[in-house]
Amino acid sequence: MSDTTIALLGQPNSGKSTLFNGLTGSRQHVGNWPGKTVEKKEGAFHYNGINYAVVDLPGTYSLSANSEEEVVTRDYIAGNKADLICILADASQLERSLFMLADYTGINKPVVLLLNMMDVAIQQGKTIDSQAISKKLGIPVIPITALNRKGYEEFYKIIETSQKSNSTLKEKELTDIFFEVIGEPFKQLLKLLPKDGIGAFSSSWLAAKLLEQDNHAMQLVKSKVDVSCWREVETVLSSVKNGNLFTADCKFKWIESLLKNSVKKAANKQGRMNRFDRIATSRIWGKPLAVGIIILGLILSMVIAIPIMGVFQKISQIATVQLSTALVAVGVPKVVISLLCYGILTAVTFALMMVSFVFGISLVFGFIEEIGYMARISYVFDSTMSKLGLQGKAIMPFLVSFGCNIGGVSGSRVIDSWGQRVTTIALSWVVPCAATWSVVGLVSTVFFGSHALLVVLSLFVVASLHMAITSRLFGKHLIKESDRIGLIMELPPYHKPQYRNLFRFVFMRMGDVLKRALKTIIFVAVIFWALSYTSDGNVANSVIYKIGTFIEPVTMWFGLRWQTFMAFLSAAMGKEAALGVLAALFNSQGQAAGIWDVISKQAEVSTSGLGNAMLTDISKAEALAFIYAFFFNVPCLMAVVTTLQETHSLKWTLRIAGYYMGVALLMSAIAYHVGLLIF
């Protein structure tokens, strides 16, 4: 049980997540707010005999109730759930990043201001008098660099005393500016509202929100005043047009007054990255540069991950042989040996290989995000992604998915909105990974020769249509109309990352993924092993064979013989497995190794032999059906598990997986029946 609860509040890119990770380390968990599709991050730390619970509130630019994230944040603050609110602001650009503080002014809850990224501000030649700002605000103001955990001492000391001192923001100066700029309408609203405000909200704060046409504030006031009073409020509001522009102007004037004589910048101090930034945000060069950097990042991720994956695979092979030999020596039944060595141990290897790729992706793209470039990628692709109802940040998961869908799904965590994140993940599954092309390339070349290129082009055309339809279907339930506006964000300054913290984040992420992934992967792997296991290696004796041959009259409507249908199902374990399964099932003697052996051992396949066998047994229309079913199928089991980790929703993970399986079969049916007409 915690003694004190702290809530972190701030705009996106203010460093909330960095501070949250620095404070809580591995003592954190992520889920969704009850009844909301908004991510909830909670953690804990211990200092000087006190247990602290930390809540990382959703990153928003204001406390207006325009989005689900903002509603969650405001309700949490007003609900007496936190003992202390810590508002983070980017010290390198205080003029814009203090807007959240201005919007908080008038909420009577203990608060401290954290001026984060002080190291960047110093590099820019800025001198910030935090004591002067503290005196004007009436609350503690703490200079901090969230990346540097050694500098947390002052933060720890302040939070010990701030809760007891009940430090609340002075609002008189902002209220005076409201009087000056807005004038009579603001004065009239103050007279109509309860003098002491409502709950945690002062009358001045409520008046500003009424002028902004904030629906939640209007409902709150309407429920607390009599009917005649509310009619007068409506009359006043009807006389003001674009009230949110007036209140925003007042808040920026307040910020300007707050920083006057408190922030100084060295003369002629310019950032060294200005010329690069002009290219990075250019309409012409920004996109090619971003694509190039993401591709290089993906290649580097592979370079880092593949050797680690190879080590785990080699260790697994050695361990399998050693364990199998030992179990045979003590007389353990063959079925138990197969389960342990080729079922569970293989599943553990899959999980470790998945974590290896997560390590490479998290390290490389974590570095890109830490230095501040990821925000530029989001900026230049925002208009393109808006056509799918998404924000510019979605481009990174899509591009990374061309290498591996696991990386694409993991990359979705840069998206702030949970609904947009799930939609992005659903769309990233459409993108064919590198392993997909090994199968598509072989089958299309064997059956269609020089016309294989036309098959591949048709896949891309259909994939584009697939993305457009999927974005509408999922976006309708996950993305509100208010979230479909263009991206509004601050471009953070470039700065050097703290490598110690970067690696700490990467290893924390690896541990979390491994811990959660093992449960799911082992469960699915054991089921698949049980269905495909045969004591003599004869495919015909497996349960999956019997199921396949039994349902073939149904699967043939989709253009899939039982062999290609089983390869379609096994591809859900891993795209690479499909070739091995096809080789096993099209073996003329039917005595090839069991299906699970092919998947677990990932043996090399004789493509020429497989091609000849398939040409003999299936038609061109059936081959086309299989290509479409395989191409649009679930990427792989590990991508599904990663989706579960990122969405924190079994319901939506199963919905996406079921949707893709269904669409893949529908595509194969259409391709098959069109193929029958052509061939």
Short mmCIF file of all heavy atoms in Angstrom, two decimals, residues 388 390 394 397-398 401 405 408-410 412 415 418-432 463 466-476 478-479 631-635 639-640 642-644 646-647 652-661 663:
data_model
loop_
_atom_site.label_atom_id
_atom_site.label_comp_id
_atom_site.label_asym_id
_atom_site.label_seq_id
_atom_site.Cartn_x
_atom_site.Cartn_y
_atom_site.Cartn_z
N LEU A 388 -5.66 7.89 -43.97
CA LEU A 388 -6.11 6.65 -43.35
C LEU A 388 -6.73 6.91 -41.97
O LEU A 388 -7.00 5.98 -41.22
CB LEU A 388 -4.93 5.67 -43.19
CG LEU A 388 -4.33 5.14 -44.50
CD1 LEU A 388 -3.05 4.34 -44.20
CD2 LEU A 388 -5.33 4.28 -45.25
N LEU A 390 -5.13 8.43 -39.59
CA LEU A 390 -4.06 8.31 -38.61
C LEU A 390 -3.20 9.56 -38.57
O LEU A 390 -3.40 10.49 -39.36
CB LEU A 390 -3.18 7.09 -38.94
CG LEU A 390 -3.90 5.74 -39.00
CD1 LEU A 390 -2.94 4.66 -39.50
CD2 LEU A 390 -4.45 5.36 -37.64
N ALA A 394 2.35 7.09 -37.53
CA ALA A 394 2.04 5.74 -37.97
C ALA A 394 2.95 5.26 -39.09
O ALA A 394 3.02 4.06 -39.36
CB ALA A 394 0.58 5.66 -38.44
N PRO A 397 5.83 2.43 -37.98
CA PRO A 397 5.44 1.01 -37.91
C PRO A 397 5.24 0.37 -39.28
O PRO A 397 5.59 -0.78 -39.49
CB PRO A 397 4.15 1.04 -37.10
CG PRO A 397 4.24 2.27 -36.28
CD PRO A 397 4.96 3.26 -37.13
N PHE A 398 4.66 1.13 -40.22
CA PHE A 398 4.42 0.58 -41.56
C PHE A 398 5.73 0.24 -42.26
O PHE A 398 5.88 -0.84 -42.83
CB PHE A 398 3.61 1.56 -42.41
CG PHE A 398 2.20 1.76 -41.94
CD1 PHE A 398 1.47 2.86 -42.32
CD2 PHE A 398 1.59 0.85 -41.09
CE1 PHE A 398 0.17 3.06 -41.89
CE2 PHE A 398 0.29 1.03 -40.64
CZ PHE A 398 -0.42 2.14 -41.05
N SER A 401 7.61 -2.68 -40.75
CA SER A 401 6.95 -3.97 -40.98
C SER A 401 7.44 -4.65 -42.26
O SER A 401 7.32 -5.86 -42.40
CB SER A 401 5.43 -3.79 -41.05
OG SER A 401 4.91 -3.49 -39.77
N ASN A 405 7.11 -7.73 -39.04
CA ASN A 405 5.90 -7.18 -38.45
C ASN A 405 5.99 -7.03 -36.94
O ASN A 405 5.29 -6.20 -36.34
CB ASN A 405 4.69 -8.05 -38.80
CG ASN A 405 4.38 -8.05 -40.28
OD1 ASN A 405 4.76 -8.98 -40.99
ND2 ASN A 405 3.73 -7.02 -40.76
N GLY A 408 7.24 -3.64 -36.47
CA GLY A 408 6.20 -2.67 -36.79
C GLY A 408 5.20 -2.52 -35.67
O GLY A 408 4.82 -1.40 -35.31
N VAL A 409 4.78 -3.65 -35.10
CA VAL A 409 3.83 -3.60 -33.98
C VAL A 409 4.47 -2.92 -32.77
O VAL A 409 3.85 -2.08 -32.12
CB VAL A 409 3.35 -5.02 -33.61
CG1 VAL A 409 2.47 -4.98 -32.37
CG2 VAL A 409 2.58 -5.64 -34.77
N SER A 410 5.73 -3.26 -32.48
CA SER A 410 6.43 -2.63 -31.36
C SER A 410 6.57 -1.13 -31.57
O SER A 410 6.47 -0.34 -30.62
CB SER A 410 7.83 -3.24 -31.19
OG SER A 410 7.74 -4.60 -30.84
N SER A 412 4.56 0.87 -32.81
CA SER A 412 3.31 1.61 -32.65
C SER A 412 3.22 2.33 -31.32
O SER A 412 2.37 3.20 -31.15
CB SER A 412 2.12 0.66 -32.80
OG SER A 412 2.06 -0.24 -31.71
N ILE A 415 2.79 6.16 -30.74
CA ILE A 415 1.50 6.82 -30.97
C ILE A 415 0.79 7.00 -29.64
O ILE A 415 0.62 6.05 -28.88
CB ILE A 415 0.64 6.01 -31.95
CG1 ILE A 415 1.37 5.89 -33.29
CG2 ILE A 415 -0.73 6.65 -32.14
CD1 ILE A 415 0.72 4.93 -34.26
N TRP A 418 -4.55 5.49 -27.80
CA TRP A 418 -4.68 4.03 -27.82
C TRP A 418 -5.46 3.56 -29.04
O TRP A 418 -5.08 2.59 -29.70
CB TRP A 418 -5.38 3.56 -26.54
CG TRP A 418 -5.46 2.07 -26.41
CD1 TRP A 418 -4.52 1.23 -25.85
CD2 TRP A 418 -6.53 1.22 -26.83
NE1 TRP A 418 -4.95 -0.08 -25.91
CE2 TRP A 418 -6.19 -0.11 -26.51
CE3 TRP A 418 -7.77 1.45 -27.46
CZ2 TRP A 418 -7.01 -1.19 -26.78
CZ3 TRP A 418 -8.59 0.37 -27.74
CH2 TRP A 418 -8.21 -0.94 -27.39
N GLY A 419 -6.54 4.26 -29.37
CA GLY A 419 -7.34 3.87 -30.52
C GLY A 419 -6.55 3.94 -31.81
O GLY A 419 -6.63 3.04 -32.66
N GLN A 420 -5.78 5.01 -31.99
CA GLN A 420 -4.96 5.13 -33.19
C GLN A 420 -3.85 4.09 -33.19
O GLN A 420 -3.45 3.59 -34.25
CB GLN A 420 -4.37 6.54 -33.29
CG GLN A 420 -5.40 7.59 -33.60
CD GLN A 420 -4.89 8.66 -34.54
OE1 GLN A 420 -3.74 8.64 -34.97
NE2 GLN A 420 -5.74 9.60 -34.89
N ARG A 421 -3.36 3.74 -32.01
CA ARG A 421 -2.30 2.73 -31.93
C ARG A 421 -2.82 1.37 -32.39
O ARG A 421 -2.17 0.67 -33.17
CB ARG A 421 -1.77 2.63 -30.50
CG ARG A 421 -0.57 1.69 -30.36
CD ARG A 421 -0.14 1.58 -28.92
NE ARG A 421 0.00 2.90 -28.32
CZ ARG A 421 -0.05 3.13 -27.02
NH1 ARG A 421 -0.26 2.12 -26.18
NH2 ARG A 421 0.09 4.33 -26.55
N VAL A 422 -4.01 0.97 -31.91
CA VAL A 422 -4.58 -0.31 -32.30
C VAL A 422 -4.88 -0.33 -33.80
O VAL A 422 -4.63 -1.33 -34.49
CB VAL A 422 -5.85 -0.62 -31.49
CG1 VAL A 422 -6.48 -1.93 -31.95
CG2 VAL A 422 -5.53 -0.70 -30.00
N THR A 423 -5.41 0.77 -34.32
CA THR A 423 -5.69 0.86 -35.76
C THR A 423 -4.41 0.74 -36.57
O THR A 423 -4.36 0.06 -37.59
CB THR A 423 -6.41 2.17 -36.08
OG1 THR A 423 -7.58 2.30 -35.27
CG2 THR A 423 -6.82 2.21 -37.54
N THR A 424 -3.34 1.40 -36.10
CA THR A 424 -2.05 1.33 -36.78
C THR A 424 -1.53 -0.11 -36.80
O THR A 424 -1.01 -0.59 -37.82
CB THR A 424 -1.03 2.25 -36.09
OG1 THR A 424 -1.50 3.60 -36.13
CG2 THR A 424 0.33 2.18 -36.78
N ILE A 425 -1.65 -0.79 -35.67
CA ILE A 425 -1.21 -2.19 -35.60
C ILE A 425 -2.00 -3.04 -36.58
O ILE A 425 -1.43 -3.86 -37.32
CB ILE A 425 -1.37 -2.73 -34.17
CG1 ILE A 425 -0.36 -2.07 -33.22
CG2 ILE A 425 -1.21 -4.25 -34.13
CD1 ILE A 425 -0.56 -2.39 -31.76
N ALA A 426 -3.33 -2.84 -36.60
CA ALA A 426 -4.17 -3.62 -37.52
C ALA A 426 -3.75 -3.39 -38.97
O ALA A 426 -3.71 -4.33 -39.77
CB ALA A 426 -5.64 -3.24 -37.33
N LEU A 427 -3.39 -2.16 -39.32
CA LEU A 427 -2.96 -1.86 -40.68
C LEU A 427 -1.56 -2.37 -40.97
O LEU A 427 -1.25 -2.78 -42.10
CB LEU A 427 -3.03 -0.35 -40.92
CG LEU A 427 -4.43 0.27 -40.94
CD1 LEU A 427 -4.34 1.77 -41.10
CD2 LEU A 427 -5.27 -0.32 -42.05
N SER A 428 -0.70 -2.37 -39.95
CA SER A 428 0.69 -2.82 -40.18
C SER A 428 0.76 -4.31 -40.49
O SER A 428 1.70 -4.77 -41.11
CB SER A 428 1.56 -2.51 -38.95
OG SER A 428 1.25 -3.37 -37.86
N TRP A 429 -0.27 -5.05 -40.09
CA TRP A 429 -0.32 -6.49 -40.40
C TRP A 429 -0.47 -6.72 -41.91
O TRP A 429 -0.13 -7.79 -42.42
CB TRP A 429 -1.49 -7.15 -39.68
CG TRP A 429 -1.23 -7.48 -38.25
CD1 TRP A 429 -0.35 -6.87 -37.41
CD2 TRP A 429 -1.86 -8.51 -37.48
NE1 TRP A 429 -0.40 -7.44 -36.15
CE2 TRP A 429 -1.33 -8.46 -36.18
CE3 TRP A 429 -2.84 -9.44 -37.75
CZ2 TRP A 429 -1.73 -9.31 -35.16
CZ3 TRP A 429 -3.25 -10.30 -36.75
CH2 TRP A 429 -2.70 -10.24 -35.47
N VAL A 430 -1.00 -5.73 -42.63
CA VAL A 430 -1.15 -5.87 -44.08
C VAL A 430 0.21 -5.88 -44.77
O VAL A 430 0.39 -6.52 -45.80
CB VAL A 430 -2.00 -4.71 -44.65
CG1 VAL A 430 -2.18 -4.88 -46.16
CG2 VAL A 430 -3.36 -4.66 -43.97
N VAL A 431 1.17 -5.16 -44.19
CA VAL A 431 2.48 -4.99 -44.82
C VAL A 431 3.22 -6.34 -44.85
O VAL A 431 3.40 -6.96 -43.80
CB VAL A 431 3.32 -3.94 -44.07
CG1 VAL A 431 4.68 -3.77 -44.73
CG2 VAL A 431 2.57 -2.61 -44.02
N PRO A 432 3.66 -6.80 -46.02
CA PRO A 432 4.35 -8.09 -46.11
C PRO A 432 5.78 -8.00 -45.57
O PRO A 432 6.54 -7.12 -45.97
CB PRO A 432 4.36 -8.39 -47.61
CG PRO A 432 4.31 -7.04 -48.26
CD PRO A 432 3.49 -6.18 -47.35
N ALA A 463 -3.51 -5.07 -51.54
CA ALA A 463 -3.06 -4.69 -50.18
C ALA A 463 -3.40 -3.23 -49.90
O ALA A 463 -3.80 -2.88 -48.78
CB ALA A 463 -1.56 -4.92 -50.05
N HIS A 466 -6.98 -3.15 -49.23
CA HIS A 466 -7.15 -3.79 -47.92
C HIS A 466 -6.91 -2.77 -46.80
O HIS A 466 -7.70 -2.67 -45.84
CB HIS A 466 -6.15 -4.94 -47.83
CG HIS A 466 -6.34 -5.85 -46.64
ND1 HIS A 466 -6.93 -5.45 -45.46
CD2 HIS A 466 -6.02 -7.15 -46.45
CE1 HIS A 466 -6.96 -6.45 -44.61
NE2 HIS A 466 -6.40 -7.50 -45.19
N MET A 467 -5.85 -1.99 -46.92
CA MET A 467 -5.52 -1.00 -45.88
C MET A 467 -6.61 0.06 -45.78
O MET A 467 -6.98 0.48 -44.68
CB MET A 467 -4.17 -0.34 -46.18
CG MET A 467 -2.98 -1.26 -46.00
SD MET A 467 -1.39 -0.40 -46.13
CE MET A 467 -1.28 0.36 -44.51
N ALA A 468 -7.12 0.51 -46.94
CA ALA A 468 -8.15 1.54 -46.94
C ALA A 468 -9.42 1.03 -46.26
O ALA A 468 -10.03 1.74 -45.44
CB ALA A 468 -8.45 1.97 -48.38
N ILE A 469 -9.81 -0.20 -46.58
CA ILE A 469 -11.03 -0.78 -45.98
C ILE A 469 -10.83 -1.05 -44.49
O ILE A 469 -11.70 -0.75 -43.66
CB ILE A 469 -11.42 -2.08 -46.72
CG1 ILE A 469 -11.82 -1.76 -48.15
CG2 ILE A 469 -12.56 -2.79 -45.98
CD1 ILE A 469 -12.05 -2.99 -49.02
N THR A 470 -9.66 -1.61 -44.15
CA THR A 470 -9.37 -1.92 -42.74
C THR A 470 -9.34 -0.66 -41.89
O THR A 470 -9.82 -0.66 -40.75
CB THR A 470 -8.02 -2.67 -42.63
OG1 THR A 470 -8.08 -3.87 -43.42
CG2 THR A 470 -7.72 -3.05 -41.18
N SER A 471 -8.77 0.42 -42.42
CA SER A 471 -8.72 1.67 -41.66
C SER A 471 -10.12 2.20 -41.36
O SER A 471 -10.38 2.75 -40.29
CB SER A 471 -7.91 2.73 -42.42
OG SER A 471 -8.59 3.16 -43.58
N ARG A 472 -11.02 2.00 -42.31
CA ARG A 472 -12.40 2.45 -42.10
C ARG A 472 -13.12 1.56 -41.08
O ARG A 472 -13.82 2.05 -40.19
CB ARG A 472 -13.18 2.45 -43.42
CG ARG A 472 -12.76 3.56 -44.38
CD ARG A 472 -13.57 3.52 -45.67
NE ARG A 472 -13.20 4.59 -46.56
CZ ARG A 472 -13.72 5.82 -46.52
NH1 ARG A 472 -14.63 6.10 -45.60
NH2 ARG A 472 -13.34 6.75 -47.36
N LEU A 473 -12.95 0.24 -41.23
CA LEU A 473 -13.63 -0.69 -40.33
C LEU A 473 -13.17 -0.55 -38.89
O LEU A 473 -13.99 -0.45 -37.96
CB LEU A 473 -13.40 -2.13 -40.81
CG LEU A 473 -14.11 -2.54 -42.11
CD1 LEU A 473 -13.70 -3.95 -42.51
CD2 LEU A 473 -15.63 -2.46 -41.94
N PHE A 474 -11.85 -0.52 -38.69
CA PHE A 474 -11.33 -0.43 -37.33
C PHE A 474 -11.40 1.01 -36.80
O PHE A 474 -11.68 1.23 -35.62
CB PHE A 474 -9.89 -0.96 -37.27
CG PHE A 474 -9.81 -2.46 -37.27
CD1 PHE A 474 -9.87 -3.17 -38.44
CD2 PHE A 474 -9.71 -3.16 -36.08
CE1 PHE A 474 -9.81 -4.56 -38.45
CE2 PHE A 474 -9.65 -4.55 -36.06
CZ PHE A 474 -9.71 -5.25 -37.26
N GLY A 475 -11.11 1.96 -37.68
CA GLY A 475 -11.14 3.36 -37.25
C GLY A 475 -12.50 3.81 -36.79
O GLY A 475 -12.63 4.65 -35.90
N LYS A 476 -13.55 3.23 -37.39
CA LYS A 476 -14.92 3.58 -37.01
C LYS A 476 -15.19 3.30 -35.54
O LYS A 476 -15.94 4.03 -34.88
CB LYS A 476 -15.89 2.80 -37.90
CG LYS A 476 -17.36 3.08 -37.64
CD LYS A 476 -18.23 2.42 -38.70
CE LYS A 476 -18.10 0.92 -38.66
NZ LYS A 476 -19.02 0.25 -39.61
N LEU A 478 -12.53 2.72 -33.21
CA LEU A 478 -11.39 3.05 -32.36
C LEU A 478 -10.99 4.53 -32.39
O LEU A 478 -10.38 5.02 -31.45
CB LEU A 478 -10.18 2.21 -32.77
CG LEU A 478 -10.28 0.71 -32.49
CD1 LEU A 478 -9.18 -0.04 -33.22
CD2 LEU A 478 -10.19 0.43 -31.01
N ILE A 479 -11.30 5.22 -33.48
CA ILE A 479 -10.84 6.60 -33.63
C ILE A 479 -12.03 7.54 -33.71
O ILE A 479 -12.86 7.42 -34.61
CB ILE A 479 -9.97 6.78 -34.89
CG1 ILE A 479 -8.83 5.77 -34.89
CG2 ILE A 479 -9.42 8.20 -34.96
CD1 ILE A 479 -8.01 5.78 -36.17
N PHE A 631 -0.41 -14.55 -48.29
CA PHE A 631 0.03 -13.15 -48.25
C PHE A 631 -0.77 -12.34 -47.23
O PHE A 631 -0.20 -11.50 -46.52
CB PHE A 631 -0.11 -12.54 -49.65
CG PHE A 631 0.48 -11.17 -49.79
CD1 PHE A 631 1.80 -11.00 -50.17
CD2 PHE A 631 -0.29 -10.03 -49.57
CE1 PHE A 631 2.35 -9.73 -50.32
CE2 PHE A 631 0.25 -8.76 -49.71
CZ PHE A 631 1.58 -8.61 -50.08
N PHE A 632 -2.09 -12.56 -47.16
CA PHE A 632 -2.94 -11.74 -46.31
C PHE A 632 -3.26 -12.40 -44.97
O PHE A 632 -4.09 -11.90 -44.21
CB PHE A 632 -4.23 -11.39 -47.04
CG PHE A 632 -4.02 -10.46 -48.20
CD1 PHE A 632 -4.06 -10.94 -49.50
CD2 PHE A 632 -3.72 -9.13 -47.99
CE1 PHE A 632 -3.85 -10.09 -50.58
CE2 PHE A 632 -3.50 -8.27 -49.06
CZ PHE A 632 -3.56 -8.75 -50.36
N ASN A 633 -2.58 -13.49 -44.67
CA ASN A 633 -2.80 -14.20 -43.40
C ASN A 633 -2.20 -13.42 -42.23
O ASN A 633 -1.47 -12.43 -42.42
CB ASN A 633 -2.16 -15.60 -43.50
CG ASN A 633 -2.59 -16.52 -42.38
OD1 ASN A 633 -3.53 -16.22 -41.64
ND2 ASN A 633 -1.92 -17.64 -42.25
N VAL A 634 -2.47 -13.88 -41.01
CA VAL A 634 -1.82 -13.35 -39.80
C VAL A 634 -0.30 -13.40 -40.01
O VAL A 634 0.22 -14.41 -40.51
CB VAL A 634 -2.21 -14.22 -38.59
CG1 VAL A 634 -1.38 -13.86 -37.37
CG2 VAL A 634 -3.69 -14.07 -38.29
N PRO A 635 0.44 -12.35 -39.68
CA PRO A 635 1.89 -12.33 -39.95
C PRO A 635 2.63 -13.52 -39.34
O PRO A 635 3.34 -14.23 -40.03
CB PRO A 635 2.36 -11.01 -39.33
CG PRO A 635 1.15 -10.15 -39.29
CD PRO A 635 0.00 -11.08 -39.08
N ALA A 639 4.13 -11.97 -33.85
CA ALA A 639 3.52 -10.66 -34.11
C ALA A 639 2.19 -10.54 -33.36
O ALA A 639 1.84 -9.46 -32.86
CB ALA A 639 3.29 -10.47 -35.61
N VAL A 640 1.45 -11.66 -33.26
CA VAL A 640 0.19 -11.67 -32.51
C VAL A 640 0.46 -11.41 -31.03
O VAL A 640 -0.23 -10.61 -30.38
CB VAL A 640 -0.55 -13.00 -32.69
CG1 VAL A 640 -1.81 -13.03 -31.83
CG2 VAL A 640 -0.92 -13.22 -34.15
N THR A 642 3.07 -9.91 -29.74
CA THR A 642 3.51 -8.52 -29.59
C THR A 642 2.32 -7.58 -29.62
O THR A 642 2.28 -6.58 -28.89
CB THR A 642 4.51 -8.15 -30.70
OG1 THR A 642 5.54 -9.12 -30.75
CG2 THR A 642 5.14 -6.79 -30.44
N THR A 643 1.34 -7.88 -30.46
CA THR A 643 0.12 -7.07 -30.52
C THR A 643 -0.60 -7.07 -29.18
O THR A 643 -1.08 -6.04 -28.71
CB THR A 643 -0.81 -7.60 -31.63
OG1 THR A 643 -0.16 -7.47 -32.89
CG2 THR A 643 -2.13 -6.83 -31.65
N LEU A 644 -0.66 -8.24 -28.55
CA LEU A 644 -1.28 -8.34 -27.23
C LEU A 644 -0.55 -7.48 -26.22
O LEU A 644 -1.16 -6.81 -25.38
CB LEU A 644 -1.31 -9.80 -26.78
CG LEU A 644 -1.93 -10.09 -25.41
CD1 LEU A 644 -3.38 -9.64 -25.35
CD2 LEU A 644 -1.82 -11.57 -25.08
N GLU A 646 1.22 -4.74 -26.82
CA GLU A 646 1.10 -3.31 -27.11
C GLU A 646 -0.31 -2.78 -26.90
O GLU A 646 -0.50 -1.62 -26.55
CB GLU A 646 1.57 -3.01 -28.54
CG GLU A 646 3.05 -3.29 -28.78
CD GLU A 646 3.95 -2.45 -27.88
OE1 GLU A 646 3.56 -1.33 -27.50
OE2 GLU A 646 5.06 -2.92 -27.55
N THR A 647 -1.32 -3.61 -27.17
CA THR A 647 -2.71 -3.15 -27.02
C THR A 647 -3.25 -3.37 -25.62
O THR A 647 -4.21 -2.71 -25.21
CB THR A 647 -3.64 -3.89 -28.01
OG1 THR A 647 -3.62 -5.29 -27.72
CG2 THR A 647 -3.20 -3.66 -29.45
N TRP A 652 -9.22 -7.18 -28.55
CA TRP A 652 -8.87 -6.57 -29.83
C TRP A 652 -7.80 -7.36 -30.57
O TRP A 652 -7.78 -7.40 -31.80
CB TRP A 652 -8.43 -5.11 -29.63
CG TRP A 652 -9.61 -4.20 -29.54
CD1 TRP A 652 -10.16 -3.66 -28.41
CD2 TRP A 652 -10.42 -3.77 -30.63
NE1 TRP A 652 -11.26 -2.90 -28.73
CE2 TRP A 652 -11.44 -2.95 -30.09
CE3 TRP A 652 -10.39 -3.98 -32.00
CZ2 TRP A 652 -12.42 -2.35 -30.88
CZ3 TRP A 652 -11.36 -3.38 -32.80
CH2 TRP A 652 -12.37 -2.57 -32.24
N THR A 653 -6.92 -8.03 -29.85
CA THR A 653 -5.93 -8.89 -30.51
C THR A 653 -6.62 -10.03 -31.24
O THR A 653 -6.29 -10.33 -32.40
CB THR A 653 -4.93 -9.46 -29.48
OG1 THR A 653 -4.26 -8.37 -28.83
CG2 THR A 653 -3.89 -10.34 -30.15
N LEU A 654 -7.60 -10.66 -30.58
CA LEU A 654 -8.34 -11.75 -31.22
C LEU A 654 -9.19 -11.24 -32.38
O LEU A 654 -9.35 -11.93 -33.40
CB LEU A 654 -9.21 -12.47 -30.19
CG LEU A 654 -8.46 -13.24 -29.09
CD1 LEU A 654 -9.45 -13.83 -28.09
CD2 LEU A 654 -7.60 -14.35 -29.71
N ARG A 655 -9.73 -10.04 -32.22
CA ARG A 655 -10.52 -9.46 -33.31
C ARG A 655 -9.66 -9.25 -34.55
O ARG A 655 -10.08 -9.57 -35.67
CB ARG A 655 -11.13 -8.12 -32.87
CG ARG A 655 -12.37 -8.25 -32.02
CD ARG A 655 -12.95 -6.87 -31.72
NE ARG A 655 -14.16 -6.96 -30.91
CZ ARG A 655 -14.86 -5.91 -30.50
NH1 ARG A 655 -14.45 -4.68 -30.83
NH2 ARG A 655 -15.94 -6.06 -29.77
N ILE A 656 -8.48 -8.70 -34.35
CA ILE A 656 -7.59 -8.44 -35.48
C ILE A 656 -7.16 -9.75 -36.13
O ILE A 656 -7.18 -9.89 -37.36
CB ILE A 656 -6.35 -7.63 -35.03
CG1 ILE A 656 -6.78 -6.25 -34.52
CG2 ILE A 656 -5.35 -7.48 -36.18
CD1 ILE A 656 -5.65 -5.47 -33.86
N ALA A 657 -6.79 -10.74 -35.29
CA ALA A 657 -6.35 -12.04 -35.82
C ALA A 657 -7.49 -12.73 -36.57
O ALA A 657 -7.30 -13.25 -37.68
CB ALA A 657 -5.84 -12.92 -34.69
N GLY A 658 -8.68 -12.74 -35.99
CA GLY A 658 -9.82 -13.36 -36.65
C GLY A 658 -10.17 -12.65 -37.95
O GLY A 658 -10.51 -13.30 -38.96
N TYR A 659 -10.08 -11.33 -37.93
CA TYR A 659 -10.36 -10.54 -39.12
C TYR A 659 -9.40 -10.90 -40.25
O TYR A 659 -9.81 -11.11 -41.40
CB TYR A 659 -10.25 -9.06 -38.77
CG TYR A 659 -10.27 -8.11 -39.96
CD1 TYR A 659 -11.47 -7.81 -40.61
CD2 TYR A 659 -9.11 -7.52 -40.42
CE1 TYR A 659 -11.50 -6.93 -41.69
CE2 TYR A 659 -9.12 -6.64 -41.49
CZ TYR A 659 -10.32 -6.36 -42.13
OH TYR A 659 -10.33 -5.49 -43.20
N TYR A 660 -8.12 -11.02 -39.93
CA TYR A 660 -7.12 -11.33 -40.96
C TYR A 660 -7.27 -12.75 -41.50
O TYR A 660 -7.12 -12.98 -42.71
CB TYR A 660 -5.71 -11.09 -40.43
CG TYR A 660 -5.24 -9.69 -40.70
CD1 TYR A 660 -5.61 -8.65 -39.86
CD2 TYR A 660 -4.48 -9.39 -41.82
CE1 TYR A 660 -5.23 -7.35 -40.12
CE2 TYR A 660 -4.10 -8.08 -42.09
CZ TYR A 660 -4.47 -7.06 -41.24
OH TYR A 660 -4.10 -5.78 -41.51
N MET A 661 -7.56 -13.69 -40.63
CA MET A 661 -7.79 -15.06 -41.10
C MET A 661 -8.99 -15.10 -42.04
O MET A 661 -8.95 -15.74 -43.10
CB MET A 661 -8.02 -15.99 -39.91
CG MET A 661 -6.83 -16.16 -38.98
SD MET A 661 -5.55 -17.24 -39.64
CE MET A 661 -6.26 -18.84 -39.27
N VAL A 663 -10.36 -12.55 -43.79
CA VAL A 663 -10.09 -11.81 -45.03
C VAL A 663 -9.18 -12.62 -45.95
O VAL A 663 -9.37 -12.65 -47.17
CB VAL A 663 -9.47 -10.44 -44.72
CG1 VAL A 663 -8.90 -9.79 -45.99
CG2 VAL A 663 -10.51 -9.52 -44.09
#
